[in-house]
Amino acid sequence: MPSVPLPASPEAVASFIAECAGHLKPGSIQRRLNAIAEAHKATGTESPTHSAMVANTMKGIRRTLGTAPVQKAAALTEDIRAMVAATDDGIIGTRDRALVLLGFAGAFRRSELVGFDVEDCGFGRDGLTVTLRKSKTDQTGEGRKIGIPYGSNPDTCPVRTVQAWLEQAAITTGPLFRSVSRHGQVQAGRLAGIDVARVVKKLVARAGLDAAKYAGHSLRAGHATSAAIAGASERSIMAQTGHRSVQMVRRYIRDGSLFRENSAGKLGL
């Protein structure tokens, strides 16, 4: 948008967002409108974003481009098992299994997963307690603790797998998940969020799934959907995922109930 004195006119803002519609999604355009509104608020001037002209232009953009976000596929329990079975031998495979299983069991965002330090992990009789010190919905850093129970199958148990990774990598402090050289040498620095997506895509491809449909978020979405399929309550899912909006969790529950509670299955076809 060209630099103009504040307040900007509704015509200028409407023209700006109409131009943005040629290369941006509605959500990105809305963020720009929010920034324009904040700029006017800071100077004590009336924001043109509240005008009928701008609102109607934005409505038209949403109708044309649509507002539904493109969601990555959820990695369900059976997918996770196939991904674990497809990991490499050696220490890289151990790390990838620990990354995937902890991400799935804890329903962690990829930024949360790579942000953990060894000091955030406490192993006990019932399983692993992970302290999440800061997250997307906890910007003040109050933190919360998430319990990861032992799995019934040692091959897919997140607790035993994280322990195996720490032992093999000889990590006692600092970043939990780290890069490993092709020679099997564990590096000092932590993985980045994009590395989680790379591991997920690598393993789903090996498991025979379409890697383009999966990303780091597939672990978190897969937990919520798989838990819903298994009949877990909204409250228990939200306690694990940290969601504050029940509407978001209910979307996963609806996805998980598409076939579990489907009337078409009662038709005798």
Side-chain angles (χ1 to χ4, degrees):
M1 184 177 181
S3 177
V4 296
L6 297 183
S9 69
E11 293 81 3
V13 175
S15 176
F16 168 65
I17 63 175
E19 181 180 346
C20 288
H23 59 279
L24 293 176
K25 296 180 180 179
S28 298
I29 298 173
Q30 183 61 55
R31 284 191 289 274
R32 282 158 174 75
L33 282 179
N34 294 343
I36 292 171
E38 285 298 318
H40 283 76
K41 180 179 179 181
T43 58
T45 53
E46 184 177 355
S47 174
T49 59
H50 302 136
S51 70
M53 176 179 289
V54 173
N56 289 334
T57 302
M58 193 64 204
K59 286 180 182 178
I61 291 172
R62 291 187 186 280
R63 281 196 301 268
T64 302
L65 300 182
T67 57
V70 177
Q71 297 292 335
K72 291 297 183 180
L76 304 182
T77 302
E78 60 199 54
D79 302 323
I80 296 296
R81 293 193 183 109
M83 291 165 65
V84 167
T87 53
D88 297 297
D89 294 328
I91 196 167
I92 291 180
T94 304
R95 184 208 59 191
D96 289 351
R97 288 191 293 275
L99 188 73
V100 166
L101 289 170
L102 182 61
F104 180 69
F108 295 122
R109 298 177 178 88
R110 66 182 195 176
S111 60
E112 296 168 350
L113 194 55
V114 299
F116 288 128
D117 289 335
V118 176
E119 291 81 358
D120 299 323
C121 303
F123 295 92
R125 182 169 53 188
D126 296 325
L128 168 63
T129 301
V130 183
T131 301
L132 184 59
R133 302 193 183 281
K134 191 173 182 180
S135 70
K136 182 179 178 181
T137 55
D138 177 26
Q139 294 300 312
T140 60
E142 294 180 10
R144 66 186 183 93
K145 293 185 176 182
I146 299 94
I148 310 294
Y150 283 100
S152 57
N153 183 344
D155 292 336
T156 54
C157 172
V159 182
R160 295 182 182 93
T161 307
V162 171
Q163 286 177 317
W165 157 245
L166 290 175
E167 291 171 5
Q168 291 182 31
I171 298 173
T172 58
T173 187
L176 176 60
F177 291 113
R178 311 179 183 196
S179 61
V180 179
S181 73
R182 57 183 176 179
H183 302 296
Q185 296 177 326
V186 179
Q187 307 301 302
R190 71 179 71 246
L191 292 180
I194 191 63
D195 294 319
V196 179
R198 290 194 183 107
V199 170
V200 169
K201 287 180 175 293
K202 174 181 71 175
L203 297 180
V204 296
R206 291 182 185 178
L209 302 171
D210 184 356
K213 296 181 179 179
Y214 293 81
H217 185 71
S218 296
L219 302 178
R220 179 171 168 82
H223 174 107
T225 307
S226 296
I229 291 172
S233 67
E234 288 180 356
R235 186 170 63 86
S236 67
I237 294 174
M238 291 179 70
Q240 195 74 353
T241 64
H243 277 116
R244 294 184 177 181
S245 168
V246 71
Q247 286 77 16
M248 178 62 72
V249 173
R250 282 176 179 169
R251 189 192 74 199
Y252 293 122
I253 292 175
R254 286 195 299 271
D255 290 346
S257 300
L258 285 176
F259 294 96
R260 183 168 58 89
E261 298 175 0
N262 193 318
S263 62
K266 310 295 184 182
L267 302 179
L269 298 177

